[in-house]
Each structure stands twice: as structure tokens, then as C-alpha cells.
Amino acid sequence: MSTDGSWQLDIESPLGKQSLWVELTQEGEKLIGKARANGQVIDPDIIDGELVGDVAAWKIKCRKPVPLTMKITVTVNGDTMTGKAKPGMFGTFPVTGRRV
């Protein structure tokens, strides 16, 4: 399963839909890439990215509105992703994504 490319992810949070864009590159089972967010300041590099089968996971560090590390775990199916985001200790929220 290839994750290479640009992805738009939508996270359904109690504050409404939050958008995240990631550029992913696969190196075997390792994922590297950059991220940017709508309405949040984040460090651009993804952390601990991995792809095992069709499941991709990585972390991003948010600095505002609250400093935290968010883990995203998704199942990749062609040009779509579905899964969950876990922003620190704030529970989990549904994530959907598409390759752009």
C-alpha cells in the first residue's frame, strides 16, 4: 500500500472539523513527512511514522492552542484514509482523509 503524496485529513473534534495536510514519503515500513494545520501551530515534521500493511501511524507536535503530541492512526485504502486521532489525553476523534 502506497502512502506517498499529499493528503488532506479532517479530524472531527468537539470544536468542530479540524483540517490537517500531510506530505508523506514511504521508506520501507518507515514514513517521513511534513504536516501543516488549519488553525493550529504545529511542528512541521511528523514523528515515529510507520506503515505496517495498510495501517499508517505517526505523531505531530502541536504548540497552540495547547501544547500536545497527537497520534494519528489510519487505514489506507487507495486514495482514502480512515481512522482516529488521539490528541494527548483528550480522548480519540474520527479522522478521514483523501489524497490530493
Side-chain angles (χ1 to χ4, degrees), residues 33-56:
K34 302 275 185 197
R36 62 186 172 91
N38 183 23
Q40 289 187 0
V41 177
I42 61 171
D43 291 333
D45 294 326
I46 67 168
I47 305 163
D48 298 334
E50 64 180 357
L51 177 68
V52 179
D54 61 354
V55 176

Side-chain angles (χ1 to χ4, degrees), residues 63-93:
R63 292 184 274 148
K64 288 184 180 179
V66 177
L68 57 82
T69 299
M70 181 181 330
K71 182 172 183 179
I72 297 173
T73 305
V74 293
T75 300
V76 181
N77 184 5
D79 291 332
T80 62
M81 294 179 170
T82 56
K84 62 184 178 180
K86 179 159 182 27
M89 61 183 164
F90 296 108
T92 59
F93 307 117

